[in-house]
Amino acid sequence: MVANNASTRQSVAVFGSTGSIGTSTLDVLERNQMQFQVAALTANTNVESLHAQCLKFKPAMAAMADSDAAQELANRLRRANSSTTVLIADDALVRIAVDPSIQTIMASIVGFAGLPATMAAAQHGKRILLANKESMVVAGDLLNQAAQRSGACIIPVDSEHNAIFQCLPESNRCNPTNSLQSGVASIVLTASGGPFRQFTADQLKTVTVEQALSHPNWDMGSKVSIDSATLMNKGLEVIEASYLFGLDESLIEVVVHPESVVHSMVRYIDGSVLAQLGQADMRTPIANALAWPDRIDAGVAALDFVRLGSLNFEAPDMHRFPCLALARQALRQGNGATCVLNAANEVAVEQFVEGRVSYTDISEINAHSLHSFTRTVPQNVEELFSLDLSVRQFALEFIEQRSLG
Ligand code: NDP
């Protein structure tokens, strides 16, 4: 990449750069290389992709969560005479998050695994572009406290939350204090309804992993695709929205909107509703988060309203998709319960993808785990990690017992 003086550009570390959000982020960064510098890239095990990205974007640093993969990447980059330094250490990702040369982190690791780097960035006053919703779900209170202490700014990348961010009053952005003071009545998260929106309860019992991975509108990683198929994704987003915008659960509505054109809305007390519309292309919210408060090119085609024709809205069905109700219940209980639900769900989704449990088992595993843990609220990150681990063991044992029974 060719660009102007590095010091005038915003230095960005992309966590999870080999994933769906990570690669879209690199696409936007490549289009705007006069303003941004790719300073660090990270992945888990995908040496092939990260190696290619390092050669192309020439970041100063790279890291991989898997130590064997990190060593292989270091060897391959050395042979290619690359200038990228591969950090090899258990805490390599956290080291990148807090490195003084990094101004902005794109938090796009999937799952609870994204929490350590995101938390470290929040503690060190970084600009955090948050795609990794699970870290806000499990540690919303702690992340907000850390960001407030350090002055870190958390800008949502999830398309719904980025839409809300764009529709909120200026004073409420990057500040999860009381939005109602600015005349906000409630927020409305839109949901595509996923691939099984029109399936009956009986049909849902036999759906396959392949069907669940085929989202009608969005091209995403496997975990978020399965979450979209169970509506747990919308549940996690309700929790994420509550912590991001400082809103009570009762003020967060969900409406199914199959076209995925209206990405979400804010209702005001005077009856106005502000909505953000766009293509189902994550490069729009990514570009918005990267450049905020400015705007940059995202490479996304303009919406053609005439071709769209009509937009439809319907209520979500909480009986066929019980994960949404479970998420609301966990949110009312607090950060301990949201951590329990997230851990159970990560295990359930993994087991579904591996063919060990059925689609309808996912909500059952989540409900059983949520109801079985006492309502403790973790006071620090160590307690969160310990709770997450206990729930994972519990959920796996529950699955094992059921398959034996
Ligand atoms: P992907 O599965 O496509 O990518 C995940 C990325 O995280 C990969 O780079 C992967 O590396 C890395 N990773 C996986 N496990 C670990 C680990 N244990 N430690 C460190 N890195 C790890 O996910 P998505 O891009 O789809 O999603 C990322 C996040 O963004 C999720 O939280 C998701 O909910 C959220 N999101 C995604 C949207 C989308 O359109 N995809 C939309 C809105 C939100 P490797 O390639 O080596 O496995």
Side-chain angles (χ1 to χ4, degrees):
M1 290 175 74
V2 187
N4 69 348
N5 182 354
S7 65
T8 62
R9 294 185 289 157
Q10 196 182 133
S11 63
V12 183
V14 184
F15 287 81
S17 64
T18 52
S20 166
I21 295 286
T23 48
S24 293
T25 302
L26 289 174
D27 181 273
V28 176
L29 291 171
E30 193 177 7
R31 290 168 193 278
N32 296 278
Q33 46 189 289
M34 300 301 280
Q35 284 139 282
F36 301 96
Q37 176 200 6
V38 178
L41 297 173
T42 86
N44 187 21
T45 56
N46 191 342
V47 176
E48 199 62 40
S49 287
L50 192 55
H51 179 254
Q53 290 179 346
C54 287
L55 294 184
K56 179 171 181 182
F57 292 94
K58 302 183 173 38
M61 295 176 284
M64 303 196 78
D66 182 279
S67 55
D68 292 341
Q71 192 58 62
E72 191 189 333
L73 177 71
N75 295 343
R76 287 181 60 172
L77 286 175
R78 198 176 314 113
R79 285 199 297 274
N81 290 323
S82 161
S83 55
T84 300
T85 302
V86 180
L87 275 63
I88 300 178
D90 287 346
D91 63 348
L93 271 65
V94 166
R95 285 195 203 183
I96 289 178
V98 305
D99 193 279
S101 69
I102 305 292
Q103 294 168 297
T104 297
I105 78 155
M106 167 55 78
S108 54
I109 290 174
V110 62
F112 184 89
L115 180 61
T118 307
M119 182 61 79
Q123 288 163 341
H124 285 75
K126 304 289 182 178
R127 182 177 166 108
I128 301 168
L129 317 184
L130 188 76
N132 174 226
K133 66 191 84 185
E134 294 91 347
S135 55
M136 195 46 99
V137 167
V138 300
D141 283 332
L142 294 172
L143 269 176
N144 281 336
Q145 286 159 17
Q148 264 158 17
R149 273 197 298 267
S150 71
C153 176
I154 302 177
I155 306 174
V157 169
D158 222 342
S159 60
E160 295 78 1
H161 304 74
N162 184 264
I164 301 289
F165 183 82
Q166 294 192 46
C167 297
L168 277 175
E170 199 77 29
S171 59
N172 285 122
R173 301 180 192 170
C174 268
N175 181 12
T177 51
N178 194 354
S179 302
L180 295 176
Q181 283 169 0
S182 307
V184 175
S186 67
I187 63 172
V188 185
L189 300 180
T190 54
S192 68
F196 306 136
R197 183 172 61 89
Q198 293 173 311
F199 277 43
T200 63
D202 267 350
Q203 286 175 311
L204 287 175
K205 288 180 188 155
T206 54
V207 297
T208 64
V209 174
E210 200 185 10
Q211 285 174 300
L213 286 172
S214 312
H215 196 280
N217 305 341
W218 297 91
D219 182 14
M220 309 182 286
S222 61
K223 200 268 181 177
V224 63
S225 297
I226 305 292
D227 284 346
S228 296
T230 61
L231 285 208
M232 177 51 91
N233 184 49
K234 211 47 55 183
L236 297 177
E237 288 178 5
V238 169
I239 300 170
E240 180 187 12
S242 171
Y243 289 111
L244 272 173
F245 305 120
L247 287 172
D248 188 75
E249 181 264 333
S250 61
L251 302 179
I252 306 170
E253 302 171 50
V254 172
V255 64
V256 173
H257 165 47
E259 292 86 5
S260 296
V261 169
V262 176
H263 294 310
S264 278
M265 301 173 265
V266 176
R267 284 187 203 274
Y268 286 85
I269 52 176
D270 61 4
S272 302
V273 179
L274 298 193
Q276 187 262 348
L277 283 67
Q279 302 278 9
D281 188 326
M282 286 306 293
R283 289 177 301 173
T284 295
I286 288 168
N288 178 266
L290 275 166
W292 181 77
D294 298 327
R295 300 268 175 181
I296 53 173
D297 171 38
V300 176
L303 266 186
D304 181 338
F305 289 100
V306 176
R307 272 188 70 185
L308 270 176
S310 60
L311 299 176
N312 294 280
F313 299 93
E314 63 195 44
D317 184 334
M318 307 289 250
H319 297 292
R320 280 183 302 135
F321 301 103
C323 287
L324 180 54
L326 287 175
R328 286 194 177 278
Q329 184 190 332
L331 176 57
R332 289 193 295 272
Q333 290 172 12
N335 241 174
T338 59
C339 178
V340 170
L341 183 60
N342 180 71
N345 185 57
E346 287 195 23
V347 170
V349 170
E350 230 169 67
Q351 298 290 308
F352 172 63
V353 171
E354 287 174 18
R356 298 206 189 95
V357 302
S358 73
Y359 169 90
T360 48
D361 288 337
I362 296 175
S363 59
E364 204 181 311
I365 294 160
N366 290 345
H368 184 63
S369 304
L370 184 62
H371 299 145
S372 301
F373 276 77
T374 52
R375 298 176 188 184
T376 51
V377 178
Q379 299 302 313
N380 51 48
V381 180
E382 291 71 31
E383 286 181 18
L384 265 179
F385 272 84
S386 152
L387 179 60
D388 173 80
L389 198 63
S390 310
V391 178
R392 282 170 198 270
Q393 281 163 354
F394 175 87
L396 281 171
E397 279 164 23
F398 175 59
I399 293 166
E400 183 74 12
Q401 281 162 13
R402 279 167 37 111
S403 64
L404 294 174

